Amino acid sequence: MKTQVLHVDRTRPEPDIIAAAAAVLRRGGLVAFPTETVYGLGANALAATAVAGIFAAKGRPGHNPIIVHVADAAGARRLTTDWPDAAERLTQHFWPGPLTLVLPRQPQVPDVVTAGGPTVAVRAPAHPVARALIAAADLPVAAPSANLSARVSATRGEHVLAGLEGRIDLLLDGGPTPGGIESTVLDLSRPRPRLLRPGLVSAAEIEEVIGPIERSGTAAEGPLPSPGMLARHYAPRAALECLPPEEAIRHARALAEQGLRVGLVALGAVADGDNPYLLPVGMPGNATAYARRLYDTLHKLDAAAVDRIVVALPPDTEEWQAIHDRLRRASTRDP
Ligand code: TXA
Ligand code: MG
């Protein structure tokens, strides 16, 4: 399959380009598109065969359910059987935006979307291109991140092509995505809301709107509530290690002196100490800016074919929670 690439204006998407992409979705094809978090790989959520194409293109395990992207709360309600007060308040507060809600599903949602489970994850993205595409297709759009399964999510069109060129019908390239890491996933299908994946909306912001939530989501307890919680996800090709800043710098230099090509990702500027094997990457000291840059940095180090990536851990405070989560998962080795 040849992947067509169409460049689209990220603030005012051209209607003819959006119409072409919507037509691909309506005939059951796969379209990668930018959202405010990362690029999504979209298919008609109501067509099981179209959604099956997403799993094939990504090499995604069938037990991992997919988020359905909708225009608004009304679109989400058509896919769910229960709309608790928390859903109403959260969607009024955070939608369109990077918050995904898990709710009991309507039977019309195909099993392939929910991995056969009783719930569906829904989110209304804020990105103008995503919004225009959903509106023009007039469909709920199932879309996981547009990367090969378990690899680093795509925050630029180039990243999508690096993983999926030849495997999808169309890329709508709207430039870099503003958020840089994935949405927050919150399970509202149980009596007490539970954080399944930290993301761009923080747990504290959610609690300001609906009161206390369970944050134990990242612990491995019981059946897998969200396979995005699996170890070894969001991972670059090279083995990645996270260490406290000074140790990270020492360790990276030691590896480089052994002749390994090492990417060193740290806050602020780091000198390479004249070692050609050490590739230092300075990161912003602000969590929002760091998130925007993180996956692009990992993709670039992959493209530079480094042997190892060493990350100096950012501060251990609430605003860095989602970044710590992604770094932890990127650094988990296969057992
Ligand atoms: O920001 C995002 O969320 C991006 C953009 C494209 O919207 N999407 C994304 O999708 O990150 P994906 O498939 O890479 O991650 C979705 C996460 C996975 O951890 C999946 O297991 C979980 O959401 N999930 C999806 N449906 C679920 C459900 N019904 N119950 C529990 N978890 C679910
Ligand atoms: Mg993903």
Side-chain angles (χ1 to χ4, degrees):
M1 173 191 305
K2 178 147 173 48
T3 300
Q4 189 188 5
V5 179
L6 292 174
H7 291 267
V8 62
D9 188 301
R10 80 184 78 159
T11 50
R12 283 195 215 145
E14 298 82 350
D16 54 329
I17 292 174
I18 294 296
V24 175
L25 288 179
R26 292 199 65 87
R27 66 168 160 75
L30 301 183
V31 178
F33 61 95
T35 81
E36 74 278 25
T37 59
V38 299
Y39 274 77
L41 177 58
N44 176 358
L46 301 177
T49 48
V51 178
I54 294 177
F55 285 84
K58 288 190 52 137
R60 186 178 176 99
H63 59 71
N64 195 358
I66 295 185
I67 298 172
V68 181
H69 297 69
V70 293
D72 50 25
R77 295 183 75 154
R78 284 195 283 277
L79 304 173
T80 53
T81 53
D82 187 27
W83 194 255
D85 190 47
E88 185 57 29
R89 275 187 283 160
L90 289 170
T91 53
Q92 284 198 16
H93 210 272
F94 294 108
W95 278 16
L99 175 65
T100 297
L101 301 177
V102 172
L103 289 156
R105 68 152 166 169
Q106 284 282 356
Q108 76 184 84
V109 179
D111 275 347
V112 63
V113 172
T114 67
T119 60
V120 62
V122 285
R123 126 170 156 85
H127 196 292
V129 173
R131 295 185 65 69
L133 180 63
I134 293 164
D138 195 21
L139 288 171
V141 177
S145 50
N147 51 277
L148 291 174
S149 184
R151 301 317 270 276
V152 180
S153 297
T155 59
R156 294 173 178 266
E158 306 87 278
H159 304 162
V160 176
L161 293 178
L164 298 174
E165 181 153 37
R167 306 171 76 93
I168 64 176
D169 297 288
L170 175 65
L171 162 64
L172 275 184
D173 189 341
T177 59
I181 58 172
E182 303 80 2
S183 64
T184 306
V185 181
L186 183 72
D187 186 355
L188 291 183
S189 71
R190 52 210 319 277
R192 183 96 184 256
R194 178 178 183 195
L195 184 68
L196 295 181
R197 179 176 71 182
L200 289 173
V201 174
S202 74
E205 288 174 293
I206 292 172
E207 289 185 330
E208 274 172 35
V209 179
I210 59 164
I213 61 172
E214 270 178 39
R215 302 182 182 205
S216 57
T218 43
E221 25 157 275
L224 204 60
S226 185
M229 294 162 57
L230 274 176
R232 194 125 211 312
H233 218 88
Y234 315 109
R237 260 194 296 264
L240 182 151
E241 294 171 87
C242 297
L243 292 167
E246 283 175 17
E247 240 175 280
I249 293 170
R250 259 201 315 271
H251 182 57
R253 289 199 171 130
L255 291 173
E257 269 154 32
Q258 293 165 29
L260 290 174
R261 285 167 53 78
V262 184
L264 170 61
V265 180
L267 297 195
V270 184
D272 62 14
D274 276 336
N275 187 322
Y277 291 99
L278 190 64
L279 276 75
V281 184
M283 296 292 282
N286 157 294
T288 307
Y290 189 107
R292 194 175 296 143
R293 191 95 66 78
L294 175 61
Y295 290 157
D296 188 43
T297 298
L298 298 182
H299 279 285
K300 286 199 170 114
L301 291 172
D302 262 352
V306 296
D307 302 304
R308 297 284 194 86
I309 299 173
V310 179
V311 179
L313 281 168
D316 196 10
T317 54
E318 166 98 25
E319 46 171 340
W320 292 88
Q321 192 199 4
I323 289 166
H324 276 277
D325 171 78
R326 302 306 188 274
L327 288 174
R328 194 163 50 237
R329 247 97 57 78
S331 65
T332 308
R333 310 278 181 77
D334 285 330

